[in-house]
Amino acid sequence: MNRITTFPSSIDRRAFDSLKPPASFRRGFTLIETMLGCAFLVVATGLAVRVHQARSQFDRASLNRLSDSLLVENAGQRLSLIPDDELADAAERLSEELNLQIDVQSFELDGRKGQHLIIKTKSEANPAFHHAWRLEASP
């Protein structure tokens, strides 16, 4: 229900104008509010960038770890197909080719000889390992 206010005289208009709030009560964004809003946006943006960087570094480290694990497992699988008499030479060759550390250790179990392969990456921070035990065929 809209009412149109008419002013019969200038005296009534002055009385109506005195009921309006002064100009200082008008609402709008002041410089301080704008600066606080911008400061909040800067802090929130900085926090979001740091979270994104941390997530990217974690993803990169996880991908590198997975790549190292797959490389070590692949080398172990390749060495499992090599005959026992050629294993030491093949391990040395594969070690240089894939930049891995491969140790071949002999052992004996219940009168049967075998070889223990320890394959690991050369990274010092988080090396990936693979162990394989091979028993020689019984005569």
Side-chain angles (χ1 to χ4, degrees), residues 35-47:
M35 288 174 56
L36 287 173
C38 287
F40 175 76
L41 287 176
V42 166
V43 169
T45 303
L47 183 63

Side-chain angles (χ1 to χ4, degrees), residues 124-137:
E124 305 251 341
N126 256 342
F129 288 94
H130 178 78
H131 293 271
W133 290 267
R134 297 174 51 152
L135 288 174
E136 294 178 351

Side-chain angles (χ1 to χ4, degrees), residues 74-122:
N74 185 22
Q77 186 65 30
R78 287 172 67 178
L79 288 173
S80 71
L81 302 173
I82 308 274
D84 291 335
D85 55 342
E86 300 173 13
L87 186 61
D89 294 332
E92 186 177 327
R93 191 172 0 100
L94 195 61
S95 175
E96 292 172 3
E97 180 183 322
L98 298 178
N99 196 22
L100 295 173
Q101 180 180 349
I102 302 174
D103 295 327
V104 180
Q105 301 171 350
S106 298
F107 69 93
E108 188 171 328
L109 178 69
D110 294 335
R112 293 177 62 189
K113 292 185 179 182
Q115 295 176 332
H116 176 212
L117 299 170
I118 303 171
I119 305 166
K120 75 174 197 175
T121 57
K122 291 185 178 179

Side-chain angles (χ1 to χ4, degrees), residues 33-88:
E33 291 170 332
T34 305
M35 288 174 56
L36 287 173
C38 287
F40 175 76
L41 287 176
V42 166
V43 169
T45 303
L47 183 63
V49 166
R50 284 183 181 238
V51 167
H52 178 69
Q53 285 176 339
R55 178 64 190 240
S56 296
Q57 288 174 351
F58 177 76
D59 288 345
R60 191 174 306 116
S62 295
L63 186 61
N64 288 341
R65 180 77 175 151
L66 177 64
S67 174
D68 288 347
S69 295
L70 291 174
L71 180 68
V72 167
E73 293 293 326
N74 185 22
Q77 186 65 30
R78 287 172 67 178
L79 288 173
S80 71
L81 302 173
I82 308 274
D84 291 335
D85 55 342
E86 300 173 13
L87 186 61

